[in-house]
Amino acid sequence: MISATPPGTVTLGRLLARAGEAVRVGLPEPMWVLAAVAAAKPARGGHTLELVEAEASGASGQLRAYLPDSAVEALRRVTGHAIIAGHLAGLTAVLQLRCNFDARWGLSARVTALAPGLETSLVARAVEAARARLRAEGLLDRQRQLPLPRDVTRVTVVHPHDAAGWADVAGELRRWAAAGVLTFRSMPVPFEGADAAAGLASAVGRATSSFDGVLPDLLLVVRGGGARAGLAPLDDEGLARAIATAPVPIITGIGHASDSTLADDVSLRTDTPSKALAFVRELIVQPARRARIDYAAILAAASGGVDRAAPRLAATERLVTAEALRHAGVASERLHRNWGAVREAAQQARGQLARLDDALDHIVADVAGVLPLHLGRTTSELAALMEAIRARARRDGDRADDGARHLDVVADRAVSLLDTAATTLLTLGGAAKAAAVAKVARASSELEALTQTVRERSQRHVTSTDDGSRAVATIEAAVAETCRAQLVEILRLLEAIETAVDRRLAAAEAALDRALATLDGADPANILRRGFVLVMDGQGHLITSVAAATAAVDLVLSLADGMIAVRLTT
């Protein structure tokens, strides 16, 4: 039973209907509202914003508003930046709201537009969030950890079409190419517009690929001057990731010394294209500078090696000199002994000649002594004896001839002895001289061989010094190759991790879609639209049985388009 009702009493459904009508009539047009965004939660096709009074207003209030993705996309197209609706949480903003009243959910609103100026805060938050993600993944400083090339011979440049900054860079690069310093490749791409970020990321990927079969040594991304608003594509997270994961160093010269983009944060940043060229120039001249330093170091090492070897060389020279003098002294002593033997043999020969001369003198003296005696005899005796002498002479003629022949033989023997002595003397003198010359020649040969050995040892010492430098260079090359191999392995692991994460995210999104579909199917509003009725008593309690309905008598039926009150009569 229902007690008596005062005049003008309406049902709750009527009251809610009038409230909805009042909102539609009283707030027919969207209004700009200043509010603080307490939370921003994803919803189907957009985000649900929890709006509260801004602190400055001093009042209190709360409203739930729906922000469709279309409004965020409109703001994204205007700014050119990646804007995320979730970043509205915590901001005080001016939003254009269209209010409506729902019987179940009460007063709510729909965001139809965001006030100009809000995009600055949203862009800053989006860039900072992207920067934080890159830092957490270790990508923010990855470019600065790459080794700079020892020799710059191949350069690729990503630049806008027909930009003034590019003209200056191209002129300098052409001059270097004409001098044979390097070769370069130009890749013009748009730096502004809706698709600029994706185009730049693709260009970076292509620019860091094969350059005539070999990776480039450097990649330059230069833009030159321009408006700050035109830097929006350079704050794109996809472009930043392409730069951070590139296998070669990337130098940016955007042209804004006071503005830092996300691309600058993950690269080797220079303020302007001219400074980027100065960076490259410094890398080019470094090898020549290193060569001069290495040349001075090699000279110092060689000089030090020679200086260290000088005492040993001097000691060796003194030893060689002393040994040569000793051999010369021994040879000289042998020569003196040989000359003494020669002199003694000559003296013996002279003694033999003197004895032969004395014998001849005695013979002559004997003959001279006998002749006066025969001459002093008388003529008679001589005459008497003449015949006897003649006879005897005839008898003794043969013996006299034999004596003369004997004397000739003796003379011949004397002459032969003199010749033999002279020959012996000459032979002994020649042998001694030849022996002395041979000794001196051998000593000279030994001295020359020892000197050559010292020279070879000195050269080997200097060569070993050079080998030390080459060994150091070989070790540096091995360390650089090991670092490159480790970098390739790290890149492979990162790619595998990114693939696994993408797969997990795709699976989570599919599960979320299924859960949302299930939730939509269980939505009471959808059930009512299919012809079902929700039965409640006067206090708003659900009626789920005939007994409960009989006890309540007065019932409220909720249909798809509203509620009606009924009284149970049977």
Side-chain angles (χ1 to χ4, degrees):
M1 297 293 294
I2 297 178
S3 60
T5 57
T9 301
V10 297
T11 63
L12 178 60
R14 184 60 181 164
L15 175 62
L16 294 175
R18 287 184 178 182
E21 184 66 23
V23 170
R24 286 192 293 273
V25 173
L27 300 173
E29 299 295 335
M31 297 181 61
W32 289 103
V33 178
L34 173 65
V37 182
K41 301 176 181 179
R44 181 178 296 276
H47 283 72
T48 299
L49 307 182
E50 296 292 340
L51 304 180
V52 297
E53 286 288 351
E55 294 180 1
S57 66
S60 62
Q62 184 173 352
L63 179 66
R64 175 176 296 178
Y66 176 74
L67 174 63
D69 288 339
S70 57
V72 178
E73 183 61 29
L75 191 61
R76 184 182 295 119
R77 287 195 298 269
V78 171
T79 61
H81 282 81
I83 294 177
I84 300 174
H87 292 158
L88 284 168
L91 292 179
T92 298
V94 176
L95 308 95
Q96 189 178 61
L97 303 179
R98 178 183 293 276
C99 294
N100 59 75
F101 185 87
D102 183 84
R104 181 178 180 185
W105 306 109
L107 184 64
S108 62
R110 181 184 182 91
V111 180
T112 57
L114 300 173
L118 182 61
E119 66 275 6
T120 303
S121 299
L122 292 176
V123 167
R125 287 199 169 194
V127 172
E128 187 56 38
R131 185 180 289 109
R133 286 191 293 273
L134 293 173
R135 183 182 293 108
E137 296 174 20
L139 297 180
L140 198 62
D141 297 322
R142 185 172 182 178
Q143 270 286 312
R144 286 178 283 277
Q145 294 171 357
L146 291 179
L148 293 174
R150 294 180 63 87
D151 295 310
V152 179
T153 58
R154 297 174 300 276
V155 175
T156 301
V157 186
V158 176
H159 61 89
H161 294 273
D162 301 328
W166 161 242
D168 298 335
V169 173
E172 189 70 8
L173 290 177
R174 290 191 186 97
R175 189 173 66 84
W176 292 350
V181 175
L182 51 75
T183 57
F184 72 95
R185 179 172 59 173
S186 167
M187 296 189 66
V189 294
F191 269 56
E192 297 182 15
D195 299 327
L200 282 169
S202 175
V204 169
R206 288 183 285 110
T208 53
S209 61
S210 176
F211 186 117
D212 298 333
V214 184
L215 287 178
D217 299 313
L218 289 175
L219 170 62
L220 302 183
V221 179
V222 296
R223 191 193 80 148
R228 176 65 181 87
L231 300 178
L234 297 171
D235 282 322
D236 182 71
E237 184 174 354
L239 173 60
R241 289 182 178 276
I243 293 175
T245 57
V248 300
I250 297 180
I251 303 171
T252 55
I254 305 304
H256 284 261
S258 59
D259 298 323
S260 177
T261 66
L262 201 56
D264 290 322
D265 293 342
V266 298
S267 65
L268 305 178
R269 179 195 179 187
T270 60
D271 295 339
T272 61
S274 60
K275 289 185 179 180
L277 277 182
F279 191 103
V280 177
R281 186 184 299 108
E282 180 64 20
L283 291 179
I284 292 174
V285 301
Q286 275 182 3
R289 189 179 296 116
R290 284 197 303 269
R292 287 196 295 269
I293 295 174
D294 294 342
Y295 177 71
I298 291 172
L299 286 182
S303 177
V306 172
D307 291 341
R308 288 190 297 272
R312 293 195 297 273
L313 184 62
T316 304
E317 183 180 3
R318 289 194 296 270
L319 180 62
V320 170
T321 302
E323 188 68 16
L325 291 176
R326 187 180 68 79
H327 284 290
V330 172
S332 179
E333 291 176 1
R334 290 178 182 174
L335 183 61
H336 283 304
R337 287 196 298 271
N338 291 335
W339 276 112
V342 172
R343 285 195 298 270
E344 185 177 355
Q347 289 176 358
Q348 291 177 358
R350 283 196 295 271
Q352 292 177 359
L353 290 175
R355 286 192 298 274
L356 289 174
D357 288 339
D358 291 341
L360 290 174
D361 290 339
H362 287 305
I363 294 172
V364 172
D366 290 341
V367 173
V370 173
L371 288 177
L373 292 177
H374 287 287
L375 291 174
R377 292 177 181 176
T378 59
T379 303
S380 58
E381 291 176 346
L382 181 60
L385 294 174
M386 282 298 293
E387 187 63 27
I389 291 171
R390 290 189 184 93
R392 186 172 291 180
R394 283 193 295 273
R395 291 193 300 272
D396 295 337
D398 296 331
R399 290 195 297 273
D401 293 336
D402 292 337
R405 286 195 297 271
H406 181 69
L407 185 60
D408 290 337
V409 171
V410 171
D412 291 337
R413 290 183 62 190
V415 171
S416 176
L417 183 60
L418 287 174
D419 291 339
T420 301
T423 303
T424 302
L425 182 62
L426 291 175
T427 301
L428 291 175
K433 182 177 180 182
V437 170
K439 291 289 184 179
V440 172
R442 284 197 299 274
S444 298
S445 299
E446 292 175 356
L447 179 60
E448 180 64 26
L450 188 57
T451 303
Q452 183 64 27
T453 300
V454 172
R455 290 174 180 170
E456 292 176 355
R457 288 180 178 178
S458 299
Q459 184 62 33
R460 284 198 300 272
H461 183 75
V462 173
T463 304
S464 65
T465 303
D466 294 338
D467 291 341
S469 299
R470 288 194 294 272
V472 171
T474 302
I475 292 172
E476 290 180 353
V479 171
E481 182 62 26
T482 301
C483 291
R484 284 193 293 272
Q486 291 176 352
L487 178 59
V488 171
E489 182 63 19
I490 290 172
L491 291 176
R492 187 186 65 77
L493 291 176
L494 284 176
E495 183 177 358
I497 291 170
E498 289 177 356
T499 302
V501 170
D502 291 340
R503 191 164 54 251
R504 292 283 183 87
L505 288 176
E509 288 178 356
L512 180 59
D513 289 338
R514 290 194 297 272
L516 289 175
T518 303
L519 183 61
D520 288 342
D523 189 351
N526 293 333
I527 295 175
L528 295 179
R529 279 193 292 269
R530 289 200 295 270
F532 290 91
V533 176
L534 185 63
V535 181
M536 295 179 293
D537 60 12
Q539 286 74 36
H541 300 123
L542 288 176
I543 300 299
T544 60
S545 66
V546 174
T550 303
V553 181
D554 291 325
L555 304 176
V556 177
L557 304 182
S558 292
L559 303 175
D561 58 348
M563 293 183 294
I564 59 175
V566 299
R567 178 180 292 273
L568 188 63
T569 59
T570 59

